[in-house]
Amino acid sequence: MSEAAFGYEQVYADLGPPTDSRHLQMIARWVEYTAGETTRRLGSIVRSGAELSGQKYRRQAERIIAQVLDEAASSALAEGQPVLEAAAETVITRQVLAQVCGLGPLQALLDEPDIENINCNGTQVWVRYSDGRREQRPSIFVSADELIALVRRIAAESATGERRFDPGAPILDMPLPGGERMNAIMEIAREPAVSIRRHRYRSTTLAALEQTGTLDSTLTALLRAAVGARRNMVVTGGTGAGKTTLLRAIAAEIPPQERLVTIEDVFELGLDQDTDAHPDCVALQARPANIEGAGEITVADLVRTALRMSPDRVIVGETRGHETVPLLNAMSQGNDGSLTTLHASDSAGAFTKLAAYAAQSAERLPLEATAVLIASAVHFVVHISATPGGHRRVTSVREVVGAEGGRVTSNEIYRRRLDGTALPAAVPSPDTIDALTAAGFDLDRLRDGADACRWSI
């Protein structure tokens, strides 16, 4: 068999350690051949009318891979050549399955639990671990075209509907089967690039974050009371600071009898999947236009829809555009206790960002009206910071107290350095004191935590 006879004896014999480049090239050729043959045979089965989906598709692929390798071994024996060793067949089978049924070469990286982010710049691969370390890994793509082909296949098989990834639609943002979030670009960059973000904690609590050092006991009690008092909160922070994880932990304090509606660009929160904590939860996801350019559903559309679904609280995964005014309206019209995240460098920067987004919305509110809307909708801004080493800590809680002209006025009632050292903080307003006290919070905890000496007034 000329196609399969790649020289079995060359796979392991006299090639040195497993990382030898010739060894890897040989395995790659076998993977390429086996994957191509498996895809061809699977296509024939599908075209014949057989229903293959999910696990059925995978089991059929496993059978075909074994068949292809058995045929190759029989041909090699007939020609008097050595056959592949069992270890080589195992590697080939795993990689072919990943290409045919999974996420191709990316699957091996996603299988490593300590990897938090994966970034592919053309054929270069960089990963960031959960402890903050960054590392360049060996290339897993022969060419940039191979990366594009893989992304197109993943997009075509999306559970949320076929997505485009081509020169006419060069930006792709979608969830992966494991819950990770993938962003891919082509044409608008020198080389195609793929970024995959994963969340270490699909479910978490304030107590769990306190154990990791993200919160202290005072802040845990404060946030718990804020949820009980139905305060609207905006969680701010930079990229990768842990905003979504903190939002999940805050949401875990919501009583299970309340009805939640979550709204996201791409499903990440997963609150609806925790049926013990949130048995009455509807998860909504925005939808891009289809390949004909029709059918787009925006986050702003979903916020307006959510208000008709009788929610006790509305939770928006991230506020970053036209949905800002509808969300602020929702927060100020009886849906107290709602939550969202926002990219900002500090807690005070949240107001500037919200005002800028509101100015871009269809309502085109003037600055003074925007400030009044923010002041009536947002009660607290909770800021989480991250060190270069990957450690996360909530460093600020800011209470919104009103609006003056085009400016939102606020008090920073909780302040910490990244090392956890307490800083003097402002005295909460009487309304906030009453609300938190009624929810069971001991105000002395804030007073004692503010440098254990005094509040700044």
Side-chain angles (χ1 to χ4, degrees):
M1 185 171 96
S2 59
E3 280 186 296
F6 292 137
Y8 293 96
E9 71 281 5
Q10 297 179 38
V11 176
Y12 278 99
D14 302 322
L15 289 181
T19 54
D20 183 281
S21 61
R22 290 176 296 166
H23 164 90
L24 295 177
Q25 290 171 6
M26 187 60 62
I27 292 294
R29 292 180 65 194
W30 269 107
V31 170
E32 180 182 4
Y33 167 74
T34 308
E37 188 64 17
T38 301
T39 300
R40 184 184 67 80
R41 298 186 190 187
L42 281 169
S44 297
I45 294 173
V46 172
R47 286 191 296 273
S48 70
E51 291 188 8
L52 288 180
S53 61
Q55 289 301 314
K56 288 183 179 180
Y57 189 91
R58 184 179 181 88
R59 286 194 294 269
Q60 185 64 50
E62 289 173 344
R63 286 193 287 269
I64 292 176
I65 292 168
Q67 184 182 41
V68 171
L69 293 176
D70 286 346
E71 291 172 358
S74 297
S75 177
L77 288 172
E79 297 174 8
Q81 295 210 30
V83 299
L84 284 169
E85 292 186 4
E89 287 197 354
T90 299
V91 171
I92 292 167
T93 298
R94 185 171 64 248
Q95 292 189 18
V96 172
L97 275 175
Q99 285 195 23
V100 173
C101 303
L103 301 176
L106 293 171
Q107 190 64 54
L109 296 175
L110 290 169
D111 288 341
E112 295 188 37
D114 292 335
I115 291 180
E116 192 167 81
N117 288 351
I118 301 168
N119 296 300
C120 302
N121 308 327
T123 58
Q124 291 186 348
V125 179
W126 293 84
V127 299
R128 187 177 74 185
Y129 295 93
S130 56
D131 62 4
R133 289 180 296 118
R134 298 175 186 269
E135 177 180 293
Q136 184 174 9
R137 300 291 287 270
S139 177
I140 55 177
F141 298 102
V142 175
S143 67
D145 289 339
E146 183 181 339
L147 174 61
I148 292 173
L150 174 64
V151 173
R152 282 178 175 165
R153 180 174 66 77
I154 294 172
E157 297 173 356
S158 170
T160 57
E162 182 178 355
R163 307 288 188 94
R164 287 181 58 187
F165 187 59
D166 53 47
I171 302 174
L172 175 70
D173 196 52
M174 63 173 286
L176 297 180
E180 303 87 359
R181 180 171 180 169
M182 181 178 75
N183 176 272
I185 59 174
M186 64 179 294
E187 295 291 319
I188 58 174
R190 192 180 300 277
E191 290 187 299
V194 171
S195 301
I196 297 175
R197 294 180 58 191
R198 70 200 308 183
H199 293 280
R200 288 181 289 162
Y201 307 110
R202 295 303 298 174
S203 63
T204 190
T205 64
L206 295 178
L209 293 188
E210 185 178 338
Q211 291 181 350
T212 66
T214 301
L215 313 176
D216 57 32
S217 60
T218 297
L219 186 56
T220 297
L222 174 62
L223 294 178
R224 185 171 290 136
V227 173
R230 303 191 68 86
R231 302 290 88 178
N232 294 326
M233 286 182 273
V234 176
V235 177
T236 60
T239 301
K243 298 185 297 297
T244 300
T245 298
L246 179 57
L247 185 68
R248 284 197 193 101
I250 295 173
E253 299 296 327
I254 298 173
Q257 64 268 23
E258 294 194 23
R259 176 172 172 80
L260 308 182
V261 177
T262 66
I263 300 166
E264 300 175 85
D265 262 337
V266 176
F267 286 135
E268 287 185 302
L269 288 172
L271 301 185
D272 60 308
Q273 296 179 338
D274 189 349
T275 55
D276 291 332
H278 310 292
D280 187 4
C281 180
V282 179
L284 306 180
Q285 178 179 248
R287 185 179 70 187
N290 60 22
I291 57 177
E292 286 83 26
E296 180 183 18
I297 303 294
T298 67
V299 172
D301 296 330
L302 294 179
V303 171
R304 296 184 181 96
T305 298
L307 297 180
R308 304 185 184 100
M309 299 175 67
S310 303
D312 291 305
R313 305 185 195 229
V314 176
I315 299 176
V316 177
E318 183 179 351
T319 299
R320 57 184 177 186
H322 299 295
E323 70 278 0
T324 302
V325 171
L327 175 62
L328 293 174
N329 282 328
M331 286 179 163
S332 61
Q333 291 175 356
N335 295 104
D336 285 343
S338 296
L339 304 167
T340 189
T341 72
L342 180 74
H343 279 277
S345 57
D346 54 41
S347 58
F351 310 124
T352 302
K353 275 293 188 70
L354 288 172
Y357 291 153
Q360 299 168 16
S361 65
E363 291 81 358
R364 304 291 183 186
L365 295 181
L367 189 58
E368 292 78 7
T370 299
V372 171
L373 181 58
I374 294 172
S376 66
V378 179
H379 298 114
F380 291 123
V381 177
V382 183
H383 187 77
I384 184 168
S385 304
T387 67
H391 183 70
R392 283 120 181 188
R393 183 181 295 278
V394 173
T395 54
S396 174
V397 176
R398 188 172 290 273
E399 168 208 21
V400 178
V401 295
E404 295 179 0
R407 178 173 170 268
V408 177
T409 57
S410 63
N411 294 326
E412 194 171 22
I413 63 173
Y414 174 96
R415 297 174 64 208
R416 292 292 187 276
R417 293 193 178 96
L418 271 173
D419 63 5
T421 304
L423 296 169
V427 179
S429 68
D431 287 345
T432 294
I433 291 174
D434 291 343
L436 294 179
T437 301
F441 182 67
D442 181 0
L443 198 66
D444 287 337
R445 301 189 69 157
L446 273 181
R447 181 182 293 109
D448 295 341
D451 234 358
C453 56
R454 66 182 183 279
W455 282 343
S456 61
I457 300 177

